[in-house]
Amino acid sequence: MEVLPYLDSVLISLSLFLMLGYHANLWHSFKTRPLHTSIGIDALRRKFWFQGIKEGDDKKGMLAVQSLRNTLMATILTAQIAILITLAMGALMNNAYKGSHIFNSAIFGSQSGRIFALKYGSASIFLLVSFFCSSVALGFLTDANFMVNACGDDQFSYRAHTQSIFERGFTLALIGNRSLCMSFPMLLWMFGPLPVALASVALVWGLYELDFAGKSTRSESNLVSVGN
């Protein structure tokens, strides 16, 4: 029983450090070597795509609206999932605490009232951050949607401002999505710190395969950037 506090404090701290450290490294790579990350490559392609739709062409404006609609739907889905899980956790927390005596093995970690509240509180923080960022991203993307349609009039053609709104929306949508992803390992803390550690390693491994581009993708993006 002496190992109980160490399981929670060590494994959960390492899991959080792994997930947050990975995203800090990803952000540093995005800022210093954008072509080495899929986020940087997507931002570069969006930049040239955005320049292409700023010609006042109605057909390109309609294509931009349809393309942004997909991102809007994905962001709305992220916000809905985050708030629904948060509400479900609030409804089930009392009953789960009453049944916490079922998980009395050492492998499930500590089941004290303070640790039990911390388990749900840590997951709720990630979920609320995801909901907040996704909600704000919807506002930015909606504004960008309107400003793209107004690009034909010189009075409203503020390229730098419109592109800034455009990128903020995508960035906040990405943060909301990643916060939702990081909340899933924390939800497993109810079953002990070991599932959290395993889920964190699996999450970072999967995101690494998604976020860091291979050599062929980098070469293709270099050709695109040179050509434009």
Side-chain angles (χ1 to χ4, degrees):
M1 300 299 290
E2 296 179 356
V3 77
L4 289 180
Y6 297 102
L7 278 176
D8 288 299
S9 58
V10 173
L11 291 181
I12 299 302
S13 299
L14 288 176
S15 299
L16 287 173
F17 177 79
L18 180 64
M19 292 187 292
L20 296 177
Y22 167 78
H23 284 91
N25 178 63
L26 175 63
W27 184 256
H28 175 73
S29 300
F30 169 67
K31 288 297 184 180
T32 57
R33 298 175 299 172
L35 293 181
H36 286 73
T37 64
S38 59
I39 300 174
I41 294 173
D42 291 341
L44 179 66
R45 290 173 177 171
R46 281 198 307 269
K47 178 181 178 181
F48 295 125
W49 174 74
F50 179 80
Q51 292 175 353
I53 63 176
K54 291 292 289 184
E55 302 294 337
D57 190 348
D58 292 338
K59 292 183 179 180
K60 291 184 178 181
M62 183 60 66
L63 178 61
V65 171
Q66 293 176 352
S67 300
L68 283 174
R69 186 182 302 165
N70 297 330
T71 304
L72 285 168
M73 293 175 62
T75 307
I76 291 172
L77 179 62
T78 300
Q80 287 178 338
I81 293 174
I83 197 63
L84 286 176
I85 295 177
T86 303
L87 293 175
M89 286 174 55
L92 296 175
M93 192 170 90
N94 186 36
N95 292 332
Y97 179 70
K98 291 179 179 179
S100 60
H101 64 278
I102 299 174
F103 307 105
N104 55 5
S105 176
I107 197 172
F108 293 112
S110 176
Q111 296 295 328
S112 63
R114 182 179 299 179
I115 296 297
F116 198 81
L118 186 60
K119 291 178 180 181
Y120 285 92
S122 58
S124 297
I125 290 174
F126 284 105
L127 290 169
L128 291 175
V129 169
S130 175
F131 176 75
F132 175 77
C133 292
S134 299
S135 301
V136 177
L138 287 173
F140 279 114
L141 291 173
T142 304
D143 288 343
N145 204 350
F146 168 76
M147 298 175 101
V148 164
N149 288 325
C151 64
D153 193 348
D154 293 336
Q155 184 179 0
F156 297 100
S157 294
Y158 301 110
R159 290 177 178 267
H161 177 67
T162 305
Q163 188 170 3
S164 176
I165 296 291
F166 195 72
E167 288 299 325
R168 286 177 186 175
F170 276 94
T171 301
L172 286 169
L174 177 65
I175 294 174
N177 180 269
R178 293 307 171 87
S179 298
L180 180 64
C181 290
M182 288 190 291
S183 69
F184 291 138
M186 303 309 298
L187 288 172
L188 296 176
W189 195 1
M190 188 183 74
F191 302 103
L194 187 58
V196 180
L198 295 176
S200 300
V201 172
L203 177 65
V204 170
W205 178 78
L207 291 178
Y208 179 83
E209 295 294 328
L210 178 67
D211 291 332
F212 287 91
K215 293 183 179 180
S216 59
T217 308
R218 293 200 300 267
S219 300
E220 180 183 352
S221 300
N222 285 324
L223 292 175
V224 172
S225 60
V226 171
N228 289 276

